[in-house]
Amino acid sequence: MKKSKMWGGRFAAGPADIMERINASIEFDQRLFKQDIACSKAHVKMLLDQCIISGDDGSKILNGLDQILVEIETGKLQFQVELEDIHLNIESRLKELIGDAAGRLHTARSRNDQVATDFRLWVRDTVDQLDLQLRDLQAALIAQGESHFDTLLPGLTHLQPAQPITFGHHMLAYVEMLGRDRSRLSDCRKRLNECPLGSAALAGTSFPVDRNATALLLGFDRPMLNSLDAVSARDFAAEFLSVAAITAVNLSRFAEEIVLWASPQFGFVELSDSFSTGSSIMPQKRNPDAAELARGKTGRILGALQALLVVIKGLPLAYAKDLQEDKEPVFDAADSLTLVIAALTGMLGDMKINKDAMVAALEEGFPTATDLADWLVRELDLPFRDAHHVTGVLVRSAEIKGCGLADLSLSEMQKVEKRINDSVFSVLSFEASAASRTSFGGTAPQLVCEALAAAKERYL
Ligand code: ARG
């Protein structure tokens, strides 16, 4: 059995094949290569400045790391499972390229602070990329909202017709949700942006390292204060996954609405050919698969959060190899979320809105009943509860007659409440109903116009 060339000194024999397999993370942590090289370069620069290594060794290492970056980016470096992880693969390649000087890279450092640093950098990059993607999705929502700021559709509660609303208002609801997701991402970024590097294995190092310098070089706000915490904390990753989970749930609600709206029963929207799929047996089908998958992938993103929290739950300080299990859930959730946001953005961009179907839907379910009750309160000074009762009776009459509230005659209305007069009809149209909702944050087209402009200012 071959011994590990990176840490095999005190071993008489090498690891069993199965040990090698359970121990290796290179298959997935190779995704950290950019961050790992950035982290190593910052460390070497600091070692140089602190005169912990010689200028000659330092520049050999820096050049070697640059070359390895290119080799990995161009697919020239073959990773080896025997070398366990991305850190040892890179260090081993460095040895091949520059010889013994490579051995000085790991001075005053451990893989424990190294991986903690790399992973924070990776999550930070991902947070930044997701923020841009969410911004693009907000832009797509705002664009649809602008085209349809006054398009009316039934607003629902309990999935039942409630009151007329504007499509622009509905789009803006999601703009706000995504705005909070972005603000959660930004909070998470602030808390994770502290640097573990220089904490070494767990206790710090006896070399005169400058942790402020490496933190600064890597764009962190400051070094982490406690070395035990620095190497073992993964709450930054759990926080990222919590934010990802909430975002995924928000997006899943949007996806669910698209699925409903695209169904023939609603018919509110038509997805473009590029964002619909056919059925292998039913030729008539246009399925909203991307929206369904956006909804479905929420499952694995929530699962990732659960998986990581359970990994961390029972661990004593400081590092334990369990922590190697932190990466796959984060990578998988980040990939899924990236895909979901991109798909929803594309789908929304060329989605057609069917105004006629929305108006037809307004004809069902008496969505101006509240307007009628409010009119009875305002004009006849009925207590709201009485107005509610009178309106209920009128709804019942319209239901029996098979017509809308506005189609009842004045005399039919007066049979229920004799003081009702002609002006009641002015509040029974869908347009009038929506236009009257002018309270702060309401659905009136005029307010929606202003809110769209404000949202562009705030988010784009
Ligand atoms: N591949 C390891 C991980 O992801 C790197 C840290 C290894 N540290 C150790 N003490 N064996 O956690």
Side-chain angles (χ1 to χ4, degrees), residues 56 63 80 142 183 203 215 240 243 284 291 313 372 419 428:
D56 189 35
N63 292 335
Q80 293 169 47
I142 290 172
S183 120
F240 167 69
V243 176
Q284 83 281 15
K313 171 185 177 293
L372 175 52
R419 290 181 296 154
L428 295 182

Side-chain angles (χ1 to χ4, degrees), residues 90-197:
I90 288 177
E91 198 185 318
S92 160
R93 178 63 185 147
L94 190 65
K95 175 99 196 281
E96 284 171 9
L97 290 176
I98 67 166
D100 286 343
R104 304 209 179 266
L105 167 60
H106 215 50
T107 314
R109 183 176 84 167
S110 149
R111 275 187 294 160
N112 297 349
D113 58 339
Q114 186 179 358
V115 73
T117 307
D118 293 1
F119 199 27
R120 274 176 196 261
L121 289 172
W122 192 92
V123 173
R124 192 179 73 187
D125 290 345
T126 303
V127 162
D128 292 344
Q129 169 238 306
L130 287 171
D131 183 67
L132 289 176
Q133 279 193 282
L134 287 174
R135 182 183 171 280
D136 285 349
L137 182 50
Q138 284 180 308
L141 288 160
I142 290 172
Q144 284 284 11
E146 283 180 330
S147 309
H148 297 282
F149 75 96
D150 60 352
T151 300
L152 298 175
L153 75 159
L156 312 178
T157 61
H158 314 268
L159 203 67
Q160 311 273 336
Q163 293 173 351
I165 56 167
T166 48
F167 191 74
H169 196 52
H170 204 112
M171 293 295 100
L172 279 170
Y174 286 105
V175 171
E176 286 304 302
M177 286 159 84
L178 299 185
R180 290 191 297 275
D181 292 330
R182 289 180 67 191
S183 120
R184 273 183 281 271
L185 279 173
S186 131
D187 286 347
C188 160
R189 191 190 198 284
K190 271 181 221 139
R191 256 185 302 280
L192 73 73
N193 204 30
E194 296 186 342
C195 188
L197 197 61

